[in-house]
Amino acid sequence: MTTQAMDFTLSRDAFGHLSLTDAAGERHDHVQVVRAFPIAAPDEGISLLSADGHELAWITHLDQTDPATRQLIDETLAARDFMPVLQRLKSVSSYATPSTWAVDTDRGPTRFVLRGEENIRRLPGEMLMIADEHGIQYLIKSLPALDAHSRKLLDRFL
Amino acid sequence: MLTNTMATADTASTPLLPEPWHTHLQSALAPDESIEAWLTLDLDDTLRFSDSVLVLTGRQLIACATDGQIAAWPLDAAFELHAHDHAGVGSLTLQNETARQAIWRFTLTQNPAALRFCRRFDQILDALREGREAGPVPAVLCAQCHAPLPPDEDDCPACSGSIDQPPSTWTLFRLWRFAKPYKGQLLIGFLLTLAATGATLVPPYLTMPLMDNVLIPYQNGQQIDTSLVVLYLGGLLASAVVAWGLGWMRTYILALFSERIGADLRTTTYDHLLRQSLEYFGNKRTGDLMARISSETDRICVFLSLHALDFATDVLMIIMTAIILASINPWLALVTLVPLPFIAWLIHLVRDRLRTGFDKTGRVWGEITSVLADTIPGIRVVKAFAQEKRESERFREANRVNLEANDKLNRVWSVFSPTVALLTEVGLLVVWAFGIWQVANNDITVGVLTAFLAYIGRFYGRLDSMSRIVSVTQKAAAGAKRVFDILDHASSVPEPTNPIHLKGVKGQITLANVGFRYGNRAVLRDVDLVIQPGEMVGLVGHSGSGKSTLVNLMCRFYDVSEGAIRIDGVDVRSVPVGEYRKHIGLVLQEPFLFFGTIAENIAYGKPEATRDEIVAAARAAHAHEFILRLPQGYDSLVGERGQGLSGGERQRISIARALLIDPKILILDEATSSVDTETEKEIQKALDNLVRGRTTIAIAHRLSTLRKANRLVVMDRGRIVEEGDHDTLIERGGFYWRLYEAQQRQVEGEALTPSLTPSMPNAHTAGVDAEPTLK
């Protein structure tokens, strides 16, 4: 399955789903696009899965795709990837959990409830992943790069 | 046509649309058009956080953006509205038979509301297609989660009590709950403290007459009055002896008291922990939980028995000293007390920093124990892959973080104590200076000054030790917070408020519209299944298809996210958890044996079982003979994970365990997966005995295990895809047939190369503890 980008074609149907036609000319509907390493290496290892979850194609790096395919993949991923990057911690309701956090993210300001300190996970490279009570994951790309106020608030939970 | 629906919309069932949406929408609605349902969308098309609203009326679907921009879709019989979710984002797709019309997105926070919105949409469209009026929103469903409400309860068992309040910062006072039973002891302890402190204040007071009536007159040429000296010295000795006796009694009584509080706290926390759902344990680290229950409660206990006691004594002493000083000479007393506000201010200043510091060291300590709890049980893997160095590095790293946190704390802490000492010295200096001036002015005698100096020597000494209370109090408060975190966590499998007691369970299980999500992943969707009493149902499907989750829900290890599970028609959430589980026998893929004898392990679910019952159960489970072959028979000790017994033997013990409690419902979760085919036959015989006459739900990857099943339920990606007996499903040539064919081929392959694959290939099932955890 280490096929390069060019032995299949992608298209979008009227329902907004992706369809893939493979080298043998077989058409697969409802194709899903999945990042293999959404945090560590988002642009590497993109997998195209059939509706029942079998891998149809593997793209080693997004750069290897032609512009049309790349656009389709980007669009699909944009509508699917949801991991707001937390840029600023404005306030927390209490230092004890559950605590409601008001934050600025790359997707605009929002609030969420942190259930417990264990929902803050350290990732390699000073990154943090915070899961709220509904399982939405917020990413802090670099802890030292946050402003002092946010770091001070966050420090109470680490 | 819409007049009737309008009437229902006016009732409480449809909440009013909040502002500013209401104003925005006025222009889009016809005067007689009413709102049937509405949904707040908190994401826009590009998945940015932004509020908009989706409104359903009897005639159209209206989307209203933040800026008041409106888009409307007149309802069409061909419309369909689909809800999906992935990784925390839900989407609603409006489509007809040819193309997608629109897509809206929202976070999972809105998911229950979105599902409700969809249902209402379906109801209205159904009505539209059939040309009738849509009825009112069915009232029997819970407004929040769409689960059907139990007939005689107002509160939805799924939703009630799910709102958390952050615990207050005055956590230590919450320990009063545990102190209450020992009120009497506490009162005696307090009175003793009062008396003992009073007794220690007598000696400095006696220095005053000793100085003024004995020493100064002698210096002025008078004889020493021996009787007076004896009286005063006797007074000194007596007060010291009394203070000793009282202090001893007080310390003993209060130490007993605090030990009991500590023990109560520990057991209560542990009891509470045991009642938590599996979800809770999945999300917590074992080492952290262990640290909270063992070392944190101990810290609180030490705080109560030593530090809090000392502190109370100190406060009493300061108050009493202040009163005595003021009664001797108010002016000098005032000067003596001048440093006090400074020290109080300093304490206040440092308190916050210390508290966060101690809170942090507590968490870091949990990290260290977590590394241990991780590595020690997995030591075989560590050694096999020669990763001792890496694990040692991990431990070193956790220790480094611990050091760092403590270093930071100590920087603040180290300045604190010397500063208090300095202030004390300065205070003494002030008293000396003011005292000499007063003596020179003949306002006070030398004896008074001596007494003052003797008092404040103790007084400031106590202040210094009192300042130490700050750190230990913060430590204890941080510990108490972490303990109360456990105590405050309401079980996500809550005990019902109005429990319904099951009388004589028949064993019918109904799953109605069951949905379950794990974190942000929907594991089960719309599962409908009725299992009749005595029926054996086999659950079949790929790993990850939701079989184990379904079984965990039936055991009520978790509660459903949507829909309901009923036993004999009663919602399982309205039956007390313990009572419900008494009717369920569970045999897992990895049988867990506790440390103890085999007999104890068999009788785990029914400790009062007689020896005859235990033997009978073991016989029926085909375990009797191998148990007899062990040197100590039923009294043989088995270790933590049942070392010394083979997988098949352990499994048969766990079957005997399930047999002994004689449950009406039996759940076999891959009971034979971890053993070879020969052993499986043995176990199978045992299982056949177990299954007889009980409602049985069996999960098996090896389809041959399910030959006795009355019905097979095939699951795929969280849904039931096929149902029927083996022959029907094979005839249908669908999902089950493919699964069966694939296995047949593997069996043949195995027959050819038996040495390569000694056991059947098992797609591992996500068992109870192998569920993906949300961390």
Side-chain angles (χ1 to χ4, degrees):
Chain A
M1 279 290 177
T2 50
T3 46
Q4 287 305 300
M6 290 327 291
D7 51 8
F8 62 88
T9 49
L10 275 183
S11 60
R12 191 182 293 282
D13 66 13
F15 293 97
H17 302 299
L18 282 185
S19 300
L20 181 143
T21 313
D22 61 22
E26 201 185 332
R27 188 185 149 97
H28 304 270
D29 288 328
H30 291 261
V31 171
Q32 298 174 52
V33 188
V34 178
R35 292 192 210 266
F37 307 98
I39 299 164
D43 288 348
E44 282 173 39
I46 310 286
S47 183
L48 302 177
L49 302 178
S50 69
D52 54 357
H54 291 293
E55 187 169 68
L56 299 170
W58 171 263
I59 302 166
T60 325
H61 198 284
L62 265 185
D63 292 345
Q64 295 168 346
T65 51
D66 60 274
T69 311
R70 165 122 201 196
Q71 198 195 341
L72 278 175
I73 291 178
D74 279 346
E75 278 171 18
T76 316
L77 285 174
R80 182 186 167 90
D81 275 2
F82 187 68
M83 196 183 285
V85 176
L86 203 151
Q87 291 165 331
R88 206 165 77 86
L89 201 57
K90 287 189 287 193
S91 67
V92 299
S93 66
S94 96
Y95 291 122
T97 52
S99 162
T100 308
W101 292 20
V103 296
D104 280 337
T105 70
D106 62 337
R107 295 174 189 269
T110 188
R111 310 169 70 81
F112 62 85
V113 175
L114 177 78
R115 259 191 190 279
E117 278 126 15
E118 65 281 350
N119 287 344
I120 304 180
R121 243 170 84 195
R122 279 179 184 279
L123 300 178
E126 300 278 4
M127 282 200 285
L128 292 178
M129 173 114 86
I130 302 169
D132 78 353
E133 58 171 350
H134 298 287
I136 299 169
Q137 293 177 323
Y138 295 83
L139 188 71
I140 294 179
K141 282 210 165 144
S142 166
L143 185 58
L146 277 185
D147 61 290
H149 176 68
S150 308
R151 272 211 314 274
K152 199 174 149 198
L153 289 180
L154 196 61
D155 197 48
R156 300 288 288 264
F157 296 89
L158 294 176
Chain B
M1 168 193 161
L2 281 161
T3 43
N4 230 344
T5 21
M6 251 186 84
T8 54
D10 284 342
T11 62
S13 58
T14 310
L16 282 176
L17 191 62
E19 291 299 343
W21 312 116
H22 190 70
T23 324
H24 287 327
L25 274 172
Q26 280 308 312
S27 56
L29 295 179
D32 62 341
E33 198 173 358
S34 70
I35 293 170
E36 290 288 343
W38 57 273
L39 170 69
T40 315
L41 304 167
D42 49 5
L43 293 176
D44 65 11
D45 297 338
T46 57
L47 298 185
R48 293 181 60 86
F49 292 105
S50 149
D51 277 349
S52 61
V53 73
L54 196 61
V55 173
L56 175 69
T57 73
R59 301 170 196 179
Q60 55 181 342
L61 193 61
I62 309 168
C64 179
T66 325
D67 53 7
Q69 215 171 20
I70 279 172
W73 289 264
L75 291 190
D76 181 317
F79 274 174
E80 284 171 23
L81 192 62
H82 295 291
H84 288 282
D85 67 80
H86 171 77
V89 183
S91 60
L92 278 181
T93 320
L94 179 71
Q95 61 182 52
N96 60 19
E97 67 276 9
T98 55
R100 183 166 84 189
Q101 304 294 312
I103 184 160
W104 296 282
R105 301 184 190 279
F106 48 89
T107 66
L108 280 190
T109 322
Q110 311 293 333
N111 203 43
L115 293 178
R116 203 162 64 239
F117 188 87
C118 266
R119 303 250 169 150
R120 189 60 187 152
F121 181 90
D122 289 346
Q123 284 163 7
I124 288 186
L125 268 218
D126 281 347
L128 189 70
R129 286 178 199 126
E130 291 161 24
R132 60 176 168 83
E133 286 171 22
V137 181
V140 282
L141 297 183
C142 163
Q144 220 178 329
C145 65
H146 223 90
L149 286 181
D152 43 15
E153 257 180 77
D154 284 341
D155 288 341
C156 170
C159 300
S160 56
S162 65
I163 303 152
D164 299 80
Q165 290 286 321
S168 101
T169 38
W170 292 85
T171 331
L172 273 180
F173 283 94
R174 299 182 57 195
L175 288 172
W176 174 242
R177 174 180 147 197
F178 295 94
K180 243 184 178 165
Y182 307 104
K183 264 188 303 209
Q185 276 187 37
L186 191 64
L187 185 70
I188 296 172
F190 179 75
L191 292 177
L192 283 173
T193 309
L194 209 63
T197 314
T200 57
L201 288 178
V202 174
Y205 199 87
L206 287 179
T207 56
M208 201 162 48
L210 209 58
M211 191 68 78
D212 287 343
N213 302 346
V214 182
L215 292 177
I216 304 265
Y218 172 73
Q219 220 164 29
N220 294 341
Q222 289 177 28
Q223 266 309 33
I224 287 185
D225 184 345
T226 326
S227 63
L228 214 56
V229 172
V230 169
L231 182 70
Y232 290 145
L233 292 187
L236 281 175
L237 182 68
S239 68
V241 170
V242 170
W244 169 78
L246 288 173
W248 169 64
M249 271 160 68
R250 162 202 80 157
T251 313
Y252 181 65
I253 286 183
L254 290 178
L256 282 185
F257 156 80
S258 69
E259 275 306 330
R260 268 152 197 72
I261 288 190
D264 287 356
L265 185 66
R266 216 166 293 147
T267 44
T268 311
T269 315
Y270 185 58
D271 283 353
H272 192 80
L273 188 68
L274 285 181
R275 280 198 297 272
Q276 295 292 340
S277 73
L278 281 187
E279 195 181 359
Y280 184 82
F281 288 97
N283 287 342
K284 300 278 176 189
R285 291 166 308 182
T286 315
D288 184 50
L289 286 179
M290 278 160 60
R292 284 184 194 213
I293 292 182
S294 55
S295 53
E296 302 287 4
T297 51
D298 192 50
R299 184 179 285 175
I300 294 170
C301 182
V302 169
F303 166 75
L304 289 177
S305 64
L306 290 178
H307 307 294
L309 183 59
D310 283 350
F311 185 70
T313 316
D314 293 345
V315 169
L316 279 177
M317 180 180 265
I318 285 181
I319 293 172
M320 285 160 102
T321 313
I323 292 171
I324 294 168
L325 291 185
S327 70
I328 300 172
N329 186 307
W331 279 111
L332 193 54
L334 203 65
V335 171
T336 316
L337 296 176
V338 163
L340 201 62
F342 282 105
I343 294 174
W345 172 73
L346 194 76
I347 290 172
H348 173 76
L349 196 74
V350 174
R351 189 173 55 193
D352 252 12
R353 282 176 170 226
L354 284 177
R355 186 183 48 211
T356 46
F358 285 120
D359 213 5
K360 200 180 173 79
T361 49
R363 280 198 298 271
V364 171
W365 194 248
E367 190 77 36
I368 291 183
T369 31
S370 277
V371 174
L372 290 178
D374 232 20
T375 317
I376 296 174
I379 193 67
R380 276 177 66 174
V381 183
V382 175
K383 283 192 178 296
F385 286 87
Q387 292 296 318
E388 290 94 338
K389 205 167 176 186
R390 179 231 203 99
E391 292 303 330
S392 146
E393 206 51 55
R394 243 178 89 196
F395 191 69
R396 195 188 305 267
E397 172 63 20
N399 256 322
R400 192 188 59 77
V401 176
N402 180 35
L403 268 184
E404 227 168 59
N406 273 306
D407 285 351
K408 202 170 157 190
L409 190 63
N410 287 335
R411 271 201 287 283
V412 182
W413 182 231
S414 56
V415 183
F416 187 60
S417 295
T419 314
V420 173
L422 179 72
L423 285 175
T424 311
E425 293 302 323
V426 172
L428 269 170
L429 204 72
V430 171
V431 175
W432 268 111
F434 192 74
I436 290 169
W437 181 71
Q438 275 198 317
V439 171
N441 284 355
N442 281 328
D443 285 341
I444 55 168
T445 60
V446 176
V448 170
L449 182 58
T450 326
F452 260 80
L453 288 170
Y455 269 120
I456 60 167
R458 295 174 179 229
F459 188 96
Y460 284 142
R462 302 320 297 170
L463 267 191
D464 186 32
S465 84
M466 263 176 90
S467 66
R468 238 164 262 157
I469 191 77
V470 180
S471 93
V472 282
T473 311
Q474 299 310 340
K475 249 182 208 177
K481 193 207 116 188
R482 284 157 59 75
V483 172
F484 277 108
D485 268 355
I486 296 181
L487 281 174
D488 288 337
H489 195 280
S491 173
S492 58
V493 183
E495 289 288 345
T497 37
N498 301 313
I500 299 172
H501 297 281
L502 296 171
K503 295 176 213 81
V505 173
K506 286 194 283 294
Q508 189 206 42
I509 305 173
T510 316
L511 288 89
N513 259 323
V514 167
F516 181 73
R517 58 180 63 250
Y518 206 100
N520 60 14
R521 210 163 57 97
V523 188
L524 288 179
R525 296 186 190 92
D526 288 329
V527 175
D528 280 295
L529 186 65
V530 180
I531 302 170
Q532 296 305 335
E535 192 182 16
M536 178 174 178
V537 169
L539 287 179
V540 180
H542 289 299
S543 70
S545 59
K547 299 168 302 207
S548 289
T549 310
L550 196 62
V551 157
N552 285 345
L553 288 176
M554 287 185 197
C555 294
R556 231 195 140 201
F557 290 148
Y558 307 109
D559 267 343
V560 292
S561 312
E562 287 141 29
I565 296 180
R566 298 190 201 101
I567 175 167
D568 295 350
V570 179
D571 193 314
V572 293
R573 284 170 294 197
S574 43
V575 182
V577 184
E579 192 179 315
Y580 173 64
R581 296 220 183 104
K582 276 212 163 56
H583 300 292
I584 294 183
L586 179 64
V587 180
L588 293 168
Q589 178 179 7
E590 285 292 335
F592 191 92
L593 300 187
F594 292 95
F595 185 82
T597 66
I598 287 185
E600 280 166 359
N601 264 295
I602 293 177
Y604 187 73
K606 193 184 174 187
E608 74 279 6
T610 63
R611 288 198 185 86
D612 287 342
E613 282 177 305
I614 292 173
V615 171
R619 263 187 220 280
H622 289 258
H624 184 61
E625 286 169 5
F626 88 76
I627 293 172
L628 290 183
R629 279 199 294 273
L630 297 170
Q632 277 94 35
Y634 280 86
D635 288 333
S636 308
L637 281 175
V638 285
E640 246 178 290
R641 296 183 190 83
Q643 280 106 338
L645 294 178
S646 76
E649 289 167 340
R650 269 181 287 163
Q651 191 57 280
R652 276 175 280 167
I653 290 179
S654 80
I655 291 172
R657 190 192 278 167
L659 265 169
L660 189 64
I661 62 170
D662 191 21
K664 271 290 163 206
I665 298 166
L666 185 66
I667 292 174
L668 309 175
D669 191 348
E670 297 273 12
T672 58
S673 292
S674 55
V675 293
D676 56 82
T677 344
E678 275 309 302
T679 320
E680 186 193 354
K681 278 184 197 138
E682 274 295 302
I683 296 178
Q684 201 60 47
K685 277 186 245 159
L687 283 179
D688 290 346
N689 283 337
L690 185 55
V691 164
R692 209 162 291 145
R694 300 174 216 274
T695 309
T696 307
I697 298 116
I699 297 181
H701 182 69
R702 226 174 277 164
L703 300 178
S704 55
T705 323
L706 298 174
R707 63 196 152 78
K708 287 254 167 83
N710 305 90
R711 187 155 51 119
L712 295 171
V713 173
V714 187
M715 298 198 60
D716 185 40
R717 282 181 293 161
R719 291 174 203 275
I720 294 179
V721 286
E722 281 175 3
E723 244 178 275
D725 60 20
H726 176 80
D727 296 336
T728 325
L729 291 175
I730 288 290
E731 237 167 72
R732 193 180 294 171
F735 202 93
Y736 179 77
W737 174 79
R738 283 202 297 278
L739 216 61
Y740 184 76
E741 285 295 304
Q743 269 194 15
Q744 285 306 106
R745 276 199 301 278
Q746 271 167 351
V747 171
E748 283 155 23
E750 187 180 297
L752 290 175
T753 52
S755 56
L756 286 179
T757 44
S759 68
M760 293 282 277
N762 298 319
H764 76 283
T765 49
V768 170
D769 43 13
E771 286 285 4
T773 52
L774 170 76
K775 274 190 191 168

